[in-house]
Amino acid sequence: MNWSGLESLLSGVNKYSTAFGRIWLSMVFVFRVMVFVVAAQRVWGDESKDFVCNTRQPGCTNVCYDHIFPISHIRLWALQLIFVTCPSLMVMAHVKYREGKDQKYVALHHGSHLYANPGKKRGGLWWTYLLSLVFKAGFDTSFLYILYRVYHGYDLPRLSKCALDPCPNTVDCFISRPTEKKIFMLFMVISSVLCILMCICEMVYLIGKRISKILTVRHENQRLVFADQHELTEIAPPRSAYRRTDPTLSDSQLSLNKREKVREGTTTTTL
Amino acid sequence: MSWPLLYAQLVAANHHSTSLGKVWLSALFLFRVLVLVVAAESVWGDEQSDFTCNTLQPGCENVCYDQFFPVSHIRLWCLQLVFVSTPTLLVALHVGHRKHRDKKRLLQASARSSFLSSKNQEEELETLKKRRLPIAGALWWTYACSLVFRVLCEGGFMFALYVVYDGFRMPRLVQCDQWPCPNLVDCYISRPTEKTIFTVFMATTSSICVVLNMAELAYLVAKAVSR
């Protein structure tokens, strides 16, 4: 199991996401996982060997390295990427559960389906999807905060002074490649922030869509109730009753709206 | 996620490109990614361990190395290749979105008319999935923007490399007097000639890719104008 295993696991998630979710997933895999594997890991590769302290006291370098790097950036980012990609699996699990239930229903009721489309985000699945977004944003934010606390800001100084036992007195220690590490740290932090913003946008979009749907349904119901209560006269029969139409025409071709007809005309397949 | 997976994604996405786009993709992966992975990375592999300074002062080598190599060539090229491949994925997303919309429209139309049998419907769905969308309308703009973005990224990264390393040549000797080095110290870079050769090679292939992208953009614009 490695990054490609995780990617194949998550490739199915694309079907059940919104457009934002698909962009988020591509962003995570191309800008974060790929850059992490291909570039960032090499930069941190020699960090322990090339950490040099101005002392010959045995053990001092080890102790100082351990004090300055309680957990390596690379390991934190690996954990962050795993935690951030996993909530999508919740959505997949829910869809699989729905499909299982649907199959059992079909077997019992001979053909009629419980769910017309198990992947449609209605009811429980909508809540699962929203929860997965909340978790994704939450994990990203907490890891960013942990990185901030452990390394006292997103800074990597060239020189650190260390006075722990068994170092004889205050000793100068030098990190390897601090500038390159700072560049990659900024890159990973900025991409995390962008992913968090995308999650928030997606949440707002989902909630907004749901609210607008509820409002339209309520508006429709009010209109129907009004029409019912006030006993309005019957609406005039459709104009097609006055026109002679070809009974073999499909519903969409009966449209009288020229613009709609032109639009429909341009979307025909051109190979 | 690594180079082979990115290649698979890009090949799938390239189904909708022009033929110049397909040439560009092959050039990118054969001459740049493959050379980077197979050759360039081993040349730069020992860059810090074999960076030697004429001093025993602990920390001096680290500091001098950091001063002369703020970002390694290899990392810059990796980032350049990742950024340059991204626009194709955006185009693929746009194409996927359009196909999804077309499929929805087809399903709605067939639900309304119910004249299409289920087999006919499946055939239509299959052709919708497999057909190559013409590069017109909003897709043309997405594609053109992706080409412009690619050209800008290539140019930007090459310029950054030129500025950070004062040209594409790697010197044999650099002199450094940063603290804690006691005075002016001579530092020797490992394999400077081999590194120069590879830097020039990558810069050349990068320029060729820029030329290919600009030709493709010109072709797209000409096609749009003639339509």
Side-chain angles (χ1 to χ4, degrees), chain A residues 227-266:
Chain A
D228 233 1
Q229 285 177 345
H230 290 73
E231 291 174 26
L232 293 173
T233 52
E234 225 177 63
I235 309 166
R239 289 177 68 178
S240 56
Y242 301 114
R243 286 189 298 123
R244 204 168 298 168
T245 50
D246 184 349
T248 59
L249 282 180
S250 66
D251 216 295
S252 55
Q253 288 166 311
L254 281 172
S255 167
L256 292 172
N257 191 341
K258 201 180 181 183
R259 206 183 295 163
E260 207 180 278
K261 266 215 203 126
V262 168
R263 211 189 312 141
E264 295 230 330
T266 51

Side-chain angles (χ1 to χ4, degrees), chain A residues 42 50 158 179-180 183, chain B residues 41 62 66 71-72 75 178:
Chain A
R42 311 289 168 87
D50 278 328
R158 250 185 209 185
T179 313
E180 206 166 358
I183 291 175
Chain B
E41 272 183 0
N62 283 30
D66 189 58
V71 186
S72 171
R75 253 68 71 184
Q178 283 265 322

Side-chain angles (χ1 to χ4, degrees), chain B residues 18-197:
Chain B
T18 61
S19 21
L20 268 175
K22 295 183 175 114
V23 169
W24 169 85
L25 184 72
S26 319
L28 185 81
F29 270 87
L30 270 179
F31 293 111
R32 296 171 75 182
V33 176
L34 192 64
V35 165
L36 180 83
V37 167
V38 156
E41 272 183 0
S42 6
V43 173
W44 268 266
D46 56 6
E47 59 179 326
Q48 192 171 3
S49 43
D50 277 337
F51 180 79
T52 325
C53 289
N54 188 2
T55 179
L56 285 177
Q57 172 66 42
C60 178
E61 264 180 23
N62 283 30
V63 162
C64 289
Y65 180 83
D66 189 58
Q67 184 187 16
F68 286 102
F69 296 94
V71 186
S72 171
H73 290 74
I74 293 283
R75 253 68 71 184
L76 268 180
W77 288 327
C78 282
L79 281 177
Q80 180 176 7
L81 289 168
V82 166
F83 273 84
V84 152
S85 324
T86 318
T88 320
L89 295 173
L90 275 174
V91 171
L93 272 173
H94 187 144
V95 166
H97 173 76
R98 259 246 210 132
K99 284 194 172 168
H100 179 77
R101 231 184 40 197
D102 287 345
K103 191 170 116 176
K104 228 199 292 189
R105 206 179 288 163
L106 174 75
L107 287 172
Q108 274 177 357
S110 70
R112 261 189 283 156
S113 69
S114 74
F115 281 119
L116 283 170
S117 67
S118 65
K119 205 204 254 184
N120 211 341
Q121 193 178 59
E122 267 174 36
E123 269 176 32
E124 282 254 4
L125 278 174
E126 274 304 308
T127 45
L128 253 187
K129 230 191 275 185
K130 290 213 191 83
R131 71 177 176 147
R132 215 181 130 212
L133 280 176
I135 301 175
L139 186 60
W140 187 95
W141 284 103
T142 312
Y143 200 82
C145 287
S146 80
L147 287 174
V148 169
F149 182 75
R150 267 188 228 161
V151 168
L152 288 175
C153 275
E154 298 263 24
F157 273 95
M158 276 211 284
F159 179 70
L161 192 72
Y162 190 87
V163 160
V164 166
Y165 288 101
D166 258 333
F168 296 129
R169 252 199 83 237
M170 189 72 81
R172 266 185 197 171
L173 160 75
V174 290
Q175 290 182 316
C176 164
D177 65 350
Q178 283 265 322
W179 188 86
C181 302
N183 42 43
L184 194 69
V185 146
D186 292 333
C187 292
Y188 300 90
I189 299 173
S190 79
R191 314 185 210 227
T193 314
E194 208 169 354
K195 287 180 181 171
T196 309
I197 291 174

Side-chain angles (χ1 to χ4, degrees), chain B residues 185-226:
Chain B
V185 146
D186 292 333
C187 292
Y188 300 90
I189 299 173
S190 79
R191 314 185 210 227
T193 314
E194 208 169 354
K195 287 180 181 171
T196 309
I197 291 174
F198 274 97
T199 311
V200 167
F201 180 85
M202 293 298 263
T204 316
T205 46
S206 195
S207 332
I208 293 175
C209 283
V210 165
V211 165
L212 277 173
N213 283 329
M214 296 217 280
E216 201 179 350
L217 190 64
Y219 167 74
L220 271 185
V221 168
K223 218 169 92 165
V225 161
S226 71

